Amino acid sequence: MTAPSLASFNRIVVKIGSALLVDQVAGALKRAWLESLAADLARHAARGAEVIVVSSGAIALGRTVLGLPRGALRLEDSQAAAAVGQIALARAWSEVLGDHRLTAGQLLLTLGDTEERRRYLNARATLARLLALKAIPVVNENDTVATSEIRYGDNDRLAARVASMASADCLVLLSDIDGLYTAPPAQDPTATLIPIVERVNASVESIAGGAASEFSRGGMRTKVEAARIATGAGIHMMIASGKVDSPLSVVEQGGRCTWFLPSENPTQARKRWIAGVLAPRGAIFVDAGAATALNHGRSLLPAGVLRVEGEFARGDAVVVRAPDGEELARGLVAYDAADAERLVGKPTAAIEEILGFRGRSAIIHRDDLVLTGA
């Protein structure tokens, strides 16, 4: 089986860990390495790809600035270090991307931002808008406010959630190891690299190690968990070494890596999830003109809505029905039921006047809608 090519993907998420970005002894940024990676990202942006970065490093940088000791930090010290380090990290990304005339935009997320529907949609809309404006979002976990109970704890799974949220088609995890091996290579000299994983199953998870294994503490287990999230959302995922300059270029020139393959593309996976997994919380009845527009791939605008049923909140799944009640589609609604009711039959231009704020132009955006009627 032939491995995919990075050049074939249109929306790429690249995750970088603290150990790659920050010199663990000096506590200083590895500026030359970061500049080489920025050149890689700029090259893909120049060919028209959209790029998102998930970057660790805030705590590692901040603890040096604050003079905090090496080793495990208390929660309040970690949060303080993150607050200081995040400024330095954002400045570094802004500078190295700016050298290529690229704009960086910072997003700090917590677990709830990717798990709670309303916050998920807000974060997703921000990502989409930044990409539309040709900026590169730089995402990190918001360690200044996240506690152990409400945090990811690793940026591998956060990166997978971000890739899913952004409907990316490729996720790259840059690591201190160049892929998934048949056994921990530091312990087993006969271990061999697995270049392609067609499906994340129990045997693949067992290779990554259990919770108590040295391999797991090295991070491979969270990477395989990230692969399960990503491939389940229709996203290709790659683990590659970040211990070299220009790591994406190295892979593209034949460097070693492991690819995890999805069974479907991101759009198919998202549509299947909307159509079959979510329990609808209400219904929106539309006129014949709106029904025709939906069948032609358009969004559902307020003007085409006849009436609203049910008690739903923004981000909930609803059924879209024809005037006779026949199901046409399902989607994630952009308004609470009360606000949607006030917009029934109204032109998009009147939304701000009616609601008192500038909301989404569509009741259900086409990216959040799947046709389900016969």
Side-chain angles (χ1 to χ4, degrees), residues 7-233:
S8 67
F9 296 107
N10 298 315
R11 184 171 289 181
I12 303 172
V13 176
V14 180
K15 178 264 176 182
I16 305 101
S18 294
L20 299 177
L21 197 61
V22 180
D23 185 309
Q24 299 301 298
V25 176
L29 188 74
K30 296 179 182 178
R31 183 73 180 218
W33 179 86
L34 183 59
E35 289 173 349
S36 77
L37 175 61
D40 272 349
L41 302 179
R43 181 166 45 81
H44 283 281
R47 70 169 176 82
E50 296 173 325
V51 178
I52 299 171
V53 171
V54 176
S55 175
S56 303
I59 293 176
L61 289 173
R63 70 188 300 161
T64 300
V65 175
L66 294 174
L68 295 170
R70 292 176 60 84
L73 295 175
R74 295 178 300 174
L75 176 61
E76 57 268 32
D77 285 342
S78 292
Q79 292 174 326
V84 171
Q86 200 60 248
I87 295 175
L89 185 63
R91 181 173 63 246
W93 277 110
S94 179
E95 290 172 353
V96 297
L97 291 174
D99 288 342
H100 299 276
R101 297 185 178 180
L102 295 171
T103 300
Q106 185 185 60
L107 273 80
L108 298 178
L109 302 178
T110 62
L111 182 64
D113 294 320
T114 60
E115 300 299 310
E116 296 177 18
R117 291 299 307 162
R118 182 182 294 265
R119 291 158 66 183
Y120 171 96
L121 288 177
N122 283 334
R124 183 169 181 266
T126 301
L127 282 171
R129 188 57 183 151
L130 284 170
L131 293 174
L133 293 170
K134 306 303 181 183
I136 294 184
V138 179
V139 183
N140 195 3
E141 184 160 16
N142 193 350
D143 291 307
T144 59
V145 297
T147 64
S148 58
E149 291 82 12
I150 59 169
R151 69 191 306 267
Y152 278 95
D154 69 86
N155 272 1
D156 293 325
R157 286 175 291 190
L158 173 61
R161 291 295 191 196
V162 169
S164 175
M165 175 190 294
S167 297
D169 49 8
C170 181
L171 168 63
V172 177
L173 301 184
L174 294 178
S175 175
D176 57 0
I177 191 169
D178 53 11
L180 176 66
Y181 282 73
T182 54
Q187 302 170 17
D188 185 348
T190 67
T192 58
L193 181 77
I194 303 172
I196 297 178
V197 176
E198 295 186 46
R199 183 169 177 266
V200 178
N201 53 27
S203 64
V204 172
E205 291 174 335
S206 67
I207 291 172
S213 75
E214 289 296 323
F215 203 32
S216 172
R217 286 202 291 272
M220 189 53 67
R221 186 182 186 204
T222 63
K223 289 174 176 54
V224 170
E225 289 176 358
R228 181 181 287 279
I229 295 169
T231 57

Side-chain angles (χ1 to χ4, degrees), residues 289-291 293-302 304 361-369:
L294 296 181
N295 282 317
H296 284 85
R298 305 290 181 82
S299 299
L300 176 59
L301 303 180
S361 60
I363 295 287
I364 303 176
H365 192 275
R366 62 184 180 184
D367 290 345
D368 296 324
L369 185 140

